[in-house]
């Protein structure tokens, strides 16, 4: 899809787009440490519940762990909770970092991620350990929901980034693997690409 090479600004989602993730793995891991209602993880993740508040920075990591404990039929440590929660974070293929490095030569690159402090610390450490680099080095600026107090697909999270960076929506491509996030961005005039992970699509296919 060489057509995207002419777009000067690109905003990438992170989980699913750059970093491989598997939310089902977190459900399995929480069950292993005693979570009685495993549907809670998916339900809370998809609604404005516990995970939404964590990803908006409305509660701290400790407050998150305390609330998770109310659903677990066992005594669990902070490390066990973090390990279960972080188990959804898989690998980051080096080829994707290579692509970002090349794109950065001719494009303004930005990251816009719905994430939280526990995941952020985990994958930043993993990327440094595995690839010996910092994720921030590949972007002009990286934006995270827990720092912004906003989550995609809230229109304000997109307009905030565009305004802060002086970007024209029509000259900016947004890449995400969630249709709701893509739809919200398109309504604001951004060019968009829905990355269809079920069809095995990768950002390596786009440029």
């Amino acid at each position: 899809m060489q057509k995207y090479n002419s777009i000067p600004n690109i905003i990438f989602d992170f989980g699913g787009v750059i970093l491989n993730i598997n939310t089902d793995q977190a459900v399995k891991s929480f069950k292993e440490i005693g979570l009685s209602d495993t549907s809670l993880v998916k339900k809370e993740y998809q609604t404005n519940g516990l995970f939404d508040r964590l990803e908006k920075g409305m509660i701290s990591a400790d407050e998150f762990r305390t609330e998770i404990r109310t659903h677990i039929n066992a005594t669990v440590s902070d490390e066990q909770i973090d390990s279960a929660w972080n188990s959804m974070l898989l690998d980051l293929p080096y080829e994707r970092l290579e692509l970002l490095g090349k794109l950065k030569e001719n494009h303004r690159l930005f990251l816009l991620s719905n994430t939280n402090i526990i995941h952020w610390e985990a994958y930043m450490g993993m990327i440094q350990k595995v690839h010996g680099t910092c994720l921030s080095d590949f972007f002009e600026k990286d934006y995270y929901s827990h720092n912004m107090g906003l989550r995609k697909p809230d229109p304000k999270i997109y307009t905030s980034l565009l305004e802060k960076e002086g970007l024209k929506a029509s000259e900016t491509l947004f890449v995400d693997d969630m249709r709701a996030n893509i739809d919200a961005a398109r309504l604001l005039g951004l060019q968009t690409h829905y990355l269809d992970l079920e069809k095995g699509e990768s950002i390596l296919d786009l440029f």
Side-chain angles (χ1 to χ4, degrees):
M1 294 189 186
Q2 298 297 317
K3 63 178 181 179
Y4 291 148
N5 286 332
S6 64
I7 301 175
N9 316 306
I10 308 171
I11 303 171
F12 286 101
D13 171 40
F14 185 58
V17 172
I18 295 173
L19 178 78
N20 290 326
I21 61 172
N22 183 349
T23 54
D24 289 338
Q25 182 57 52
V27 174
K28 179 183 176 184
S29 298
F30 273 122
K31 185 177 181 179
E32 289 171 354
I33 65 170
L35 184 71
S36 54
D37 180 11
T38 53
S39 67
L40 172 88
V41 179
K42 283 194 171 182
K43 182 177 71 177
E44 289 281 357
Y45 201 71
Q46 292 168 351
T47 61
N48 297 332
L50 175 59
F51 300 116
D52 181 79
R53 285 180 279 132
L54 182 67
E55 294 199 336
K56 286 180 180 175
M58 296 169 66
I59 59 172
S60 67
D62 281 339
E63 289 170 322
F64 168 76
R65 297 179 188 114
T66 296
E67 194 161 337
I68 281 289
R69 281 190 177 92
T70 66
H71 302 284
I72 293 178
N73 301 324
T75 300
V76 291
S77 66
D78 288 353
E79 290 75 20
Q80 284 176 295
I81 292 173
D82 288 359
S83 179
W85 182 220
N86 290 334
S87 66
M88 74 167 67
L89 310 175
L90 305 181
D91 63 312
L92 196 170
Y94 181 69
E95 294 77 17
R96 296 178 191 169
L97 291 180
E98 263 190 327
L99 173 64
L100 294 174
K102 291 176 182 176
L103 290 174
K104 191 177 177 183
E105 295 174 4
N106 298 302
H107 304 266
R108 296 183 67 189
L109 299 190
F110 301 92
L111 189 73
L112 182 61
S113 174
N114 283 351
T115 191
N116 59 84
I117 188 62
I118 299 174
H119 281 170
W120 183 86
E121 289 180 349
Y123 58 67
M124 283 297 195
M126 180 271 284
I127 293 168
Q128 184 64 52
K129 181 179 180 181
V130 175
H131 298 298
T133 190
C134 180
L135 181 65
S136 303
D137 293 341
F138 293 88
F139 300 95
E140 189 169 323
K141 175 76 175 175
D142 40 352
Y143 287 87
Y144 301 100
S145 61
H146 67 286
N147 292 331
M148 300 177 75
L150 297 164
R151 282 179 88 235
K152 295 174 289 183
D154 187 333
K156 293 178 184 175
I157 200 169
Y158 306 98
T159 55
S160 176
L161 190 160
L162 294 173
E163 289 169 4
K164 286 180 180 178
E165 301 301 336
L167 305 179
K168 287 184 179 180
S170 61
E171 297 177 354
T172 304
L173 172 68
F174 174 61
V175 182
D176 200 294
D177 64 318
M178 299 289 287
R179 286 200 181 275
N181 298 343
I182 287 292
D183 292 343
R186 188 179 296 126
L187 286 173
L188 294 169
L190 284 97
Q191 298 193 53
T192 60
H193 183 91
Y194 167 66
L195 200 69
D196 195 336
L197 301 183
E198 290 188 2
K199 291 183 178 179
E201 194 174 26
S202 161
I203 57 172
L204 299 178
D205 304 319
L206 306 186
F207 302 94

